[in-house]
Amino acid sequence: MRHFLDLDLLKPDELALILDAALDEKTNHKFSKQAALSGKSLALVFEKNSTRTRISFQAAMQQLGGQSFVLDAGTSQLGRGETIADTARVLSRYVDGIMLRTDGHDKLEEMARYASVPVINGLTDKSHPCQIMADLLTVKEHFGDLSKRRVVWLGDGNNVAVSWVQAAVAFGIEMVVSTPDSMQIPSDVQDWLANQGGHRVSFSNDPAAVAGADVVIADTWVSMGDEAEGEQRLATLEPFQVNQACMAKASEQAVFLHCLPAHRGEEVTDEVIDGPQSLVFDEAENRMHAQKAILLWCFGLIGG
Ligand code: CP
Ligand code: NVA
């Protein structure tokens, strides 16, 4: 079963193949011309809000000739306590694939354990692999390569940062994760990283780590589920704001990425996110192209 749960669970050459297919589809409409997912359907299950993930998956399925169905926790039996395991077994009788956005990563693993169709991680509290496939596609399109770039993450060591670390390991990308000491990526991911040979990921608690960056990445300082400690987090993270002074320390050719939604005036200023170095809307568009390729891989239409 080809689940897409986390980037470290796929071989780097499979990830590269998915990125190549995404680019082929974006450039030549290779798979939509063939209606490659004709007859296939996908359930999109949301226990957290979404704009991009929801619509980019629906558009991807439609453009590839397939169908999608959205299930929100608030309007389904999930919201009344039906288990993930039972939901997985029921949905598997109706559809060919399931995407889940949820809080606990263990719920995603439970969905994959009980589903008899491929399961895709649409964001958990641990990781957001579909987003980083879109980010990698954006970097590859812009620079023409991945592994030669210095990537600097500034802010909270959150779910998006974790998937970026896994991608940096897979592709041998030089990456600095710069966070306050209290907001480092989870210790189990640090332990995993310590066992990966030859990676080029390092950690810093100094926003000056942005020096020489080709790719500067920020994300919200208050992820979904972190709202209770919001005010305190904002104060701690203030030195990590990506503003013009920060971008001036990066390389001359540096680009800015943000998965969106942005909190303008917090993690990033208007000048940067609306400025010439920002690729955030290409990045948002690339969610759809990357996810088309992820779907093709999950359904066994590309890859070995
Ligand atoms: N970047 C991202 O996943 O956006 P949504 O929360 O809108 O899906
Ligand atoms: N880190 C953010 C990403 C939103 C797409 C969150 O989890 O809320």
Side-chain angles (χ1 to χ4, degrees):
M1 187 72 66
R2 285 188 174 180
H3 299 306
F4 190 82
L5 302 183
D6 260 324
L7 299 181
D8 64 321
L9 300 178
L10 274 78
K11 296 194 185 86
D13 59 351
E14 287 174 303
L15 295 173
L17 176 144
I18 292 172
L19 289 177
D20 287 345
L23 212 49
D24 204 3
E25 169 61 15
K26 182 174 181 179
T27 315
N28 307 313
H29 310 290
K30 178 178 173 184
F31 300 99
S32 40
K33 272 188 202 153
Q34 301 166 0
L37 295 189
S38 170
K40 298 278 187 211
S41 59
L42 178 72
L44 297 163
V45 183
F46 289 97
E47 294 199 301
K48 285 179 167 179
N49 294 16
S50 168
T51 296
R52 279 144 289 270
T53 303
R54 176 173 175 154
I55 301 301
S56 59
F57 264 111
Q58 290 202 285
M61 282 303 287
Q62 197 230 344
Q63 290 176 24
L64 290 170
Q67 287 195 60
S68 57
F69 308 103
V70 173
L71 197 67
D72 281 314
T75 54
S76 69
Q77 300 294 3
L78 273 170
R80 296 181 59 249
E82 186 166 17
T83 64
I84 291 279
D86 285 351
T87 305
R89 287 179 284 199
V90 170
L91 292 180
S92 297
R93 303 286 180 109
Y94 303 143
V95 295
D96 302 292
I98 301 169
M99 188 232 72
L100 175 63
R101 167 168 287 197
T102 186
D103 42 9
H105 196 77
D106 54 335
K107 290 192 187 174
L108 177 78
E109 290 170 342
E110 186 179 349
M111 184 71 95
R113 202 159 52 247
Y114 286 95
S116 51
V117 297
V119 172
I120 298 173
N121 178 355
L123 180 146
T124 67
D125 56 358
K126 178 190 171 194
S127 57
H128 196 3
C130 292
Q131 178 65 52
I132 278 53
M133 292 301 278
D135 291 13
L136 294 170
L137 187 60
T138 310
V139 173
K140 199 172 148 82
E141 260 184 328
H142 184 83
F143 288 109
D145 60 69
L146 286 177
S147 58
K148 297 196 185 90
R149 302 299 139 198
R150 174 178 163 87
V151 172
V152 177
W153 175 275
L154 288 174
D156 179 24
N158 64 15
N159 44 5
V160 178
V162 165
S163 288
W164 249 109
V165 167
Q166 292 171 341
V169 170
F171 289 102
I173 298 169
E174 180 189 354
M175 179 177 188
V176 185
V177 185
S178 181
T179 69
D181 287 331
S182 57
M183 294 183 201
Q184 289 178 354
I185 64 167
S187 55
D188 59 324
V189 183
Q190 294 192 42
D191 293 346
W192 168 83
L193 184 66
N195 289 316
Q196 306 305 307
H199 70 78
R200 298 196 291 151
V201 179
S202 58
F203 297 95
S204 166
N205 58 8
D206 184 353
V210 76
D214 298 309
V215 181
V216 180
I217 317 176
D219 185 16
T220 180
W221 289 344
V222 185
S223 284
M224 293 179 276
D226 289 340
E227 291 83 359
E229 2 167 303
E231 285 304 313
Q232 192 195 331
R233 296 174 69 84
L234 298 193
T236 310
L237 282 155
E238 217 175 285
F240 293 81
Q241 182 186 68
V242 180
N243 49 36
Q244 272 179 326
C246 169
M247 287 304 284
K249 293 181 195 136
S251 98
E252 256 177 46
Q253 56 173 2
V255 297
F256 174 72
L257 296 184
H258 188 307
C259 67
L260 304 178
H263 297 74
R264 290 161 176 263
E266 293 181 8
E267 73 272 9
V268 62
T269 57
D270 286 336
E271 294 87 13
V272 171
I273 197 167
D274 295 329
Q277 290 168 293
S278 172
L279 297 182
V280 298
F281 297 109
D282 289 340
E283 183 185 1
E285 177 186 335
N286 282 340
R287 288 296 302 277
M288 180 177 71
H289 304 298
Q291 286 157 199
K292 281 181 176 176
I294 291 167
L295 288 162
L296 291 163
W297 179 83
C298 285
F299 292 139
L301 297 170
I302 58 171

Coordinates of all heavy atoms in Angstrom, one line a residue, residues 109-171:
E109 N -1.6 7.8 11.7 CA -1.1 6.4 11.6 C -2.2 5.4 11.8 O -2.2 4.3 11.1 CB 0.0 6.2 12.7 CG 1.2 7.0 12.3 CD 2.3 7.1 13.3 OE1 2.0 6.9 14.5 OE2 3.4 7.4 13.0
E110 N -3.2 5.7 12.6 CA -4.4 4.8 12.8 C -5.2 4.7 11.5 O -5.6 3.6 11.1 CB -5.2 5.4 14.0 CG -6.4 4.5 14.4 CD -7.2 5.0 15.5 OE1 -6.8 6.0 16.2 OE2 -8.3 4.5 15.8
M111 N -5.4 5.9 10.9 CA -6.1 5.9 9.6 C -5.4 4.9 8.6 O -6.1 4.1 7.9 CB -6.2 7.3 9.1 CG -7.0 7.5 7.8 SD -8.8 7.3 8.0 CE -9.3 9.0 8.3
A112 N -4.1 5.0 8.5 CA -3.3 4.2 7.6 C -3.4 2.7 7.9 O -3.4 1.9 7.1 CB -1.9 4.7 7.5
R113 N -3.4 2.5 9.3 CA -3.4 1.1 9.7 C -4.8 0.4 9.4 O -4.8 -0.8 9.0 CB -3.2 1.1 11.2 CG -2.7 -0.2 11.8 CD -2.0 -0.1 13.1 NE -2.8 0.6 14.2 CZ -2.5 1.8 14.7 NH1 -1.4 2.4 14.3 NH2 -3.2 2.3 15.6
Y114 N -5.8 1.1 9.5 CA -7.2 0.5 9.3 C -7.7 0.7 7.9 O -8.7 0.0 7.5 CB -8.2 1.0 10.3 CG -7.9 0.5 11.7 CD1 -7.1 1.1 12.6 CD2 -8.4 -0.8 12.0 CE1 -6.8 0.6 13.8 CE2 -8.1 -1.4 13.2 CZ -7.3 -0.7 14.1 OH -7.0 -1.2 15.4
A115 N -7.2 1.6 7.1 CA -7.7 1.9 5.7 C -7.2 0.8 4.8 O -6.1 0.2 5.0 CB -7.2 3.2 5.2
S116 N -8.0 0.4 3.8 CA -7.5 -0.5 2.8 C -7.2 0.2 1.5 O -7.1 -0.4 0.4 CB -8.4 -1.7 2.6 OG -9.7 -1.2 2.4
V117 N -7.1 1.5 1.5 CA -6.7 2.3 0.4 C -5.6 3.3 0.9 O -5.4 3.5 2.1 CB -7.9 3.2 -0.1 CG1 -9.0 2.3 -0.6 CG2 -8.4 4.1 1.0
P118 N -4.8 3.9 -0.1 CA -3.7 4.8 0.3 C -4.2 6.0 1.1 O -5.3 6.5 0.9 CB -3.2 5.3 -1.0 CG -3.5 4.2 -2.0 CD -4.9 3.7 -1.6
V119 N -3.4 6.3 2.1 CA -3.7 7.5 3.0 C -2.6 8.5 2.8 O -1.4 8.2 2.8 CB -3.8 7.0 4.5 CG1 -3.9 8.2 5.4 CG2 -5.0 6.1 4.7
I120 N -3.1 9.8 2.7 CA -2.2 10.9 2.5 C -2.2 11.9 3.7 O -3.3 12.2 4.2 CB -2.5 11.7 1.2 CG1 -2.4 10.8 0.0 CG2 -1.7 12.9 1.0 CD1 -2.9 11.4 -1.3
N121 N -1.1 12.3 4.2 CA -1.0 13.3 5.3 C -1.3 14.7 4.8 O -0.4 15.2 4.0 CB 0.4 13.2 5.9 CG 0.6 14.1 7.1 OD1 -0.2 15.0 7.3 ND2 1.8 14.0 7.7
G122 N -2.4 15.3 5.1 CA -2.7 16.6 4.7 C -2.4 17.6 5.8 O -2.9 18.7 5.8
L123 N -1.6 17.3 6.8 CA -1.0 18.0 7.9 C -1.5 17.4 9.2 O -2.6 17.0 9.4 CB -1.5 19.5 7.9 CG -1.1 20.4 9.1 CD1 -0.9 21.9 8.6 CD2 -2.0 20.4 10.3
T124 N -0.5 17.2 10.1 CA -0.7 16.8 11.5 C 0.1 17.7 12.4 O 0.8 18.6 11.8 CB -0.2 15.3 11.7 OG1 1.2 15.3 11.7 CG2 -0.8 14.3 10.8
D125 N 0.0 17.5 13.7 CA 0.8 18.4 14.6 C 2.3 18.1 14.4 O 3.1 18.9 14.7 CB 0.4 18.2 16.0 CG 0.4 16.7 16.5 OD1 0.8 15.8 15.7 OD2 0.1 16.5 17.7
K126 N 2.6 16.9 13.8 CA 4.1 16.6 13.6 C 4.6 17.1 12.2 O 5.7 17.6 12.2 CB 4.3 15.1 13.6 CG 5.7 14.7 13.4 CD 5.9 13.2 13.2 CE 7.3 12.9 12.7 NZ 7.4 11.5 12.3
S127 N 3.8 17.0 11.1 CA 4.4 17.2 9.8 C 3.4 17.6 8.8 O 2.2 17.5 9.0 CB 5.1 15.9 9.4 OG 4.2 14.8 9.4
H128 N 4.0 18.1 7.6 CA 3.1 18.6 6.5 C 3.8 18.3 5.2 O 4.3 19.2 4.5 CB 2.9 20.1 6.7 CG 1.8 20.7 5.9 ND1 0.9 19.9 5.1 CD2 1.4 22.0 5.8 CE1 0.1 20.7 4.5 NE2 0.3 22.0 4.9
P129 N 3.9 17.0 4.9 CA 4.8 16.6 3.7 C 4.3 17.1 2.4 O 5.1 17.4 1.5 CB 4.7 15.1 3.8 CG 3.5 14.7 4.5 CD 3.4 15.8 5.6
C130 N 3.0 17.3 2.2 CA 2.5 17.8 0.8 C 3.0 19.2 0.6 O 3.3 19.6 -0.5 CB 1.0 17.7 0.8 SG 0.3 16.1 0.8
Q131 N 3.0 20.0 1.7 CA 3.5 21.4 1.6 C 4.9 21.4 1.1 O 5.3 22.2 0.3 CB 3.3 22.0 3.0 CG 3.8 23.5 3.0 CD 3.0 24.4 2.1 OE1 1.8 24.4 2.2 NE2 3.6 25.1 1.1
I132 N 5.7 20.5 1.7 CA 7.2 20.6 1.4 C 7.4 20.1 0.0 O 8.4 20.5 -0.7 CB 8.0 19.9 2.5 CG1 8.2 20.9 3.7 CG2 9.4 19.6 2.0 CD1 7.0 21.5 4.3
M133 N 6.6 19.2 -0.5 CA 6.8 18.8 -1.9 C 6.5 20.0 -2.8 O 7.2 20.2 -3.8 CB 5.8 17.6 -2.3 CG 6.2 16.3 -1.6 SD 7.8 15.7 -1.9 CE 7.5 14.9 -3.5
A134 N 5.5 20.8 -2.5 CA 5.3 22.0 -3.2 C 6.4 23.0 -3.1 O 6.8 23.7 -4.1 CB 4.0 22.6 -2.8
D135 N 7.0 23.1 -1.9 CA 8.1 24.0 -1.7 C 9.3 23.6 -2.5 O 10.0 24.4 -3.1 CB 8.5 24.0 -0.2 CG 7.4 24.7 0.7 OD1 6.3 24.9 0.2 OD2 7.8 25.0 1.9
L136 N 9.6 22.3 -2.5 CA 10.7 21.7 -3.3 C 10.5 22.0 -4.8 O 11.5 22.4 -5.5 CB 10.9 20.2 -3.0 CG 11.3 19.8 -1.6 CD1 11.2 18.3 -1.4 CD2 12.7 20.3 -1.2
L137 N 9.3 21.8 -5.2 CA 9.0 22.1 -6.6 C 9.2 23.6 -6.9 O 9.8 23.9 -8.0 CB 7.5 21.7 -6.9 CG 7.0 21.8 -8.3 CD1 7.8 20.8 -9.2 CD2 5.5 21.4 -8.3
T138 N 8.9 24.4 -6.0 CA 9.1 25.9 -6.2 C 10.6 26.2 -6.3 O 11.0 27.0 -7.1 CB 8.4 26.6 -5.1 OG1 7.0 26.1 -4.9 CG2 8.3 28.1 -5.3
V139 N 11.3 25.6 -5.4 CA 12.8 25.9 -5.4 C 13.4 25.3 -6.7 O 14.3 26.0 -7.3 CB 13.4 25.3 -4.1 CG1 15.0 25.4 -4.2 CG2 12.9 25.9 -2.9
K140 N 13.0 24.1 -7.0 CA 13.6 23.5 -8.2 C 13.2 24.3 -9.5 O 14.1 24.5 -10.3 CB 13.0 22.1 -8.4 CG 13.7 21.1 -9.2 CD 13.0 19.7 -9.0 CE 13.1 18.9 -10.2 NZ 14.3 18.1 -10.4
E141 N 12.0 24.8 -9.6 CA 11.6 25.6 -10.7 C 12.4 26.9 -10.8 O 12.8 27.3 -11.9 CB 10.2 26.0 -10.5 CG 9.1 25.3 -11.2 CD 7.7 25.9 -10.9 OE1 7.5 26.5 -9.9 OE2 6.9 25.8 -11.8
H142 N 12.6 27.5 -9.6 CA 13.2 28.8 -9.6 C 14.7 28.7 -9.8 O 15.3 29.5 -10.6 CB 12.9 29.5 -8.3 CG 13.5 30.9 -8.2 ND1 12.8 32.0 -8.7 CD2 14.6 31.4 -7.8 CE1 13.5 33.1 -8.6 NE2 14.6 32.8 -8.0
F143 N 15.4 27.8 -9.2 CA 16.9 27.7 -9.2 C 17.4 26.7 -10.2 O 18.5 26.6 -10.5 CB 17.4 27.4 -7.8 CG 17.4 28.6 -6.9 CD1 16.5 28.6 -5.8 CD2 18.1 29.7 -7.0 CE1 16.4 29.6 -4.9 CE2 18.1 30.8 -6.1 CZ 17.2 30.7 -5.1
G144 N 16.5 25.7 -10.6 CA 16.9 24.7 -11.5 C 17.6 23.5 -10.8 O 17.9 22.5 -11.4
D145 N 17.8 23.6 -9.5 CA 18.3 22.5 -8.7 C 17.9 22.6 -7.3 O 17.4 23.6 -6.9 CB 19.9 22.5 -8.8 CG 20.4 23.8 -8.2 OD1 20.3 24.0 -7.0 OD2 20.9 24.6 -9.0
L146 N 18.1 21.5 -6.5 CA 17.8 21.6 -5.1 C 19.0 21.6 -4.2 O 19.1 22.4 -3.2 CB 16.9 20.4 -4.7 CG 15.5 20.3 -5.2 CD1 14.8 19.0 -4.8 CD2 14.7 21.5 -4.6
S147 N 19.9 20.7 -4.5 CA 20.9 20.3 -3.5 C 22.0 21.4 -3.3 O 22.7 21.4 -2.3 CB 21.6 19.0 -3.8 OG 22.2 19.1 -5.1
K148 N 22.1 22.4 -4.2 CA 23.1 23.4 -4.1 C 22.6 24.6 -3.2 O 23.4 25.6 -3.1 CB 23.5 23.9 -5.5 CG 24.1 22.9 -6.4 CD 24.8 23.5 -7.5 CE 25.4 22.5 -8.5 NZ 24.4 22.2 -9.6
R149 N 21.4 24.6 -2.8 CA 20.8 25.8 -2.1 C 21.0 25.7 -0.6 O 20.9 24.7 0.0 CB 19.3 25.9 -2.4 CG 19.1 26.0 -3.9 CD 19.7 27.2 -4.5 NE 20.3 26.8 -5.8 CZ 21.2 27.6 -6.5 NH1 21.7 28.7 -5.9 NH2 21.6 27.2 -7.6
R150 N 21.3 26.9 0.0 CA 21.3 27.0 1.5 C 19.9 27.5 1.9 O 19.5 28.6 1.5 CB 22.4 28.0 1.9 CG 22.4 28.3 3.4 CD 23.5 29.3 3.7 NE 23.4 30.0 4.9 CZ 23.9 29.5 6.1 NH1 24.5 28.3 6.1 NH2 23.7 30.2 7.2
V151 N 19.2 26.7 2.7 CA 17.9 27.0 3.1 C 17.9 27.3 4.6 O 18.5 26.6 5.4 CB 17.0 25.7 2.9 CG1 15.6 25.9 3.5 CG2 16.9 25.4 1.4
V152 N 17.3 28.4 5.0 CA 17.2 28.8 6.4 C 15.8 29.0 6.8 O 15.0 29.7 6.2 CB 18.0 30.1 6.6 CG1 17.9 30.5 8.1 CG2 19.5 29.9 6.3
W153 N 15.4 28.2 7.8 CA 14.1 28.3 8.5 C 14.2 29.2 9.6 O 15.1 29.1 10.5 CB 13.7 26.9 9.0 CG 12.4 26.9 9.7 CD1 12.2 27.2 11.1 CD2 11.1 26.7 9.2 NE1 10.9 27.1 11.4 CE2 10.2 26.8 10.3 CE3 10.6 26.4 7.9 CZ2 8.8 26.7 10.1 CZ3 9.2 26.2 7.8 CH2 8.4 26.3 8.9
L154 N 13.3 30.2 9.7 CA 13.3 31.1 10.9 C 12.0 31.1 11.6 O 10.9 31.3 11.0 CB 13.5 32.6 10.3 CG 14.9 32.9 9.8 CD1 14.9 34.3 9.2 CD2 15.9 32.9 11.0
G155 N 12.0 30.8 12.9 CA 10.7 30.9 13.7 C 10.5 29.7 14.5 O 11.4 29.2 15.2
D156 N 9.3 29.1 14.5 CA 8.9 28.0 15.4 C 9.3 26.7 14.7 O 9.1 26.5 13.5 CB 7.4 28.1 15.5 CG 6.8 27.0 16.4 OD1 7.6 26.4 17.2 OD2 5.6 26.7 16.2
G157 N 9.9 25.8 15.5 CA 10.2 24.5 15.0 C 9.0 23.6 14.9 O 8.9 22.6 15.5
N158 N 8.1 23.9 14.0 CA 6.8 23.3 13.9 C 6.7 22.2 12.9 O 7.7 21.7 12.4 CB 5.7 24.4 13.7 CG 5.9 25.0 12.3 OD1 6.6 24.5 11.4 ND2 5.2 26.2 12.1
N159 N 5.5 21.8 12.5 CA 5.2 20.7 11.6 C 5.8 20.9 10.2 O 6.4 20.0 9.6 CB 3.7 20.4 11.5 CG 2.9 21.7 11.4 OD1 3.4 22.8 11.3 ND2 1.5 21.5 11.4
V160 N 5.8 22.2 9.7 CA 6.3 22.5 8.4 C 7.8 22.4 8.5 O 8.5 21.8 7.6 CB 5.8 23.9 8.0 CG1 6.4 24.2 6.6 CG2 4.3 23.9 7.9
A161 N 8.4 22.9 9.6 CA 9.9 22.8 9.7 C 10.3 21.3 9.8 O 11.4 20.9 9.2 CB 10.3 23.5 11.0
V162 N 9.6 20.4 10.4 CA 10.0 19.0 10.5 C 10.0 18.4 9.1 O 10.9 17.7 8.7 CB 9.0 18.2 11.5 CG1 9.1 16.7 11.3 CG2 9.3 18.6 12.9
S163 N 9.0 18.6 8.3 CA 8.9 18.1 7.0 C 10.1 18.6 6.1 O 10.7 17.9 5.3 CB 7.6 18.3 6.3 OG 6.6 17.4 6.9
W164 N 10.4 19.9 6.3 CA 11.6 20.5 5.6 C 12.9 19.8 6.0 O 13.7 19.5 5.2 CB 11.6 22.0 5.9 CG 11.3 22.8 4.6 CD1 10.2 23.5 4.4 CD2 12.1 22.9 3.4 NE1 10.3 24.1 3.1 CE2 11.4 23.7 2.5 CE3 13.3 22.4 3.0 CZ2 11.9 24.0 1.2 CZ3 13.8 22.6 1.7 CH2 13.1 23.5 0.9
V165 N 13.0 19.5 7.3 CA 14.2 18.8 7.7 C 14.3 17.4 7.1 O 15.4 17.0 6.6 CB 14.3 18.7 9.3 CG1 15.3 17.7 9.8 CG2 14.5 20.0 9.9
Q166 N 13.2 16.7 7.0 CA 13.2 15.4 6.4 C 13.6 15.5 4.9 O 14.3 14.7 4.3 CB 11.8 14.8 6.5 CG 11.5 14.4 8.0 CD 10.1 13.9 8.2 OE1 9.2 14.2 7.4 NE2 9.9 13.2 9.3
A167 N 13.1 16.6 4.2 CA 13.4 16.8 2.8 C 14.9 17.2 2.6 O 15.5 16.7 1.7 CB 12.5 18.0 2.3
A168 N 15.4 18.0 3.5 CA 16.8 18.4 3.4 C 17.7 17.1 3.5 O 18.7 17.0 2.8 CB 17.1 19.4 4.5
V169 N 17.3 16.2 4.4 CA 18.1 15.0 4.5 C 18.0 14.2 3.2 O 19.0 13.7 2.7 CB 17.6 14.1 5.8 CG1 18.2 12.8 5.7 CG2 17.9 14.9 7.0
A170 N 16.8 14.0 2.7 CA 16.6 13.2 1.5 C 17.4 13.7 0.3 O 17.9 13.0 -0.5 CB 15.1 13.2 1.2
F171 N 17.4 15.1 0.2 CA 18.0 15.7 -1.0 C 19.4 16.2 -0.7 O 20.0 16.9 -1.6 CB 17.1 16.7 -1.6 CG 15.9 16.1 -2.2 CD1 14.7 16.1 -1.6 CD2 16.0 15.5 -3.5 CE1 13.5 15.6 -2.2 CE2 14.8 15.0 -4.1 CZ 13.6 15.0 -3.4

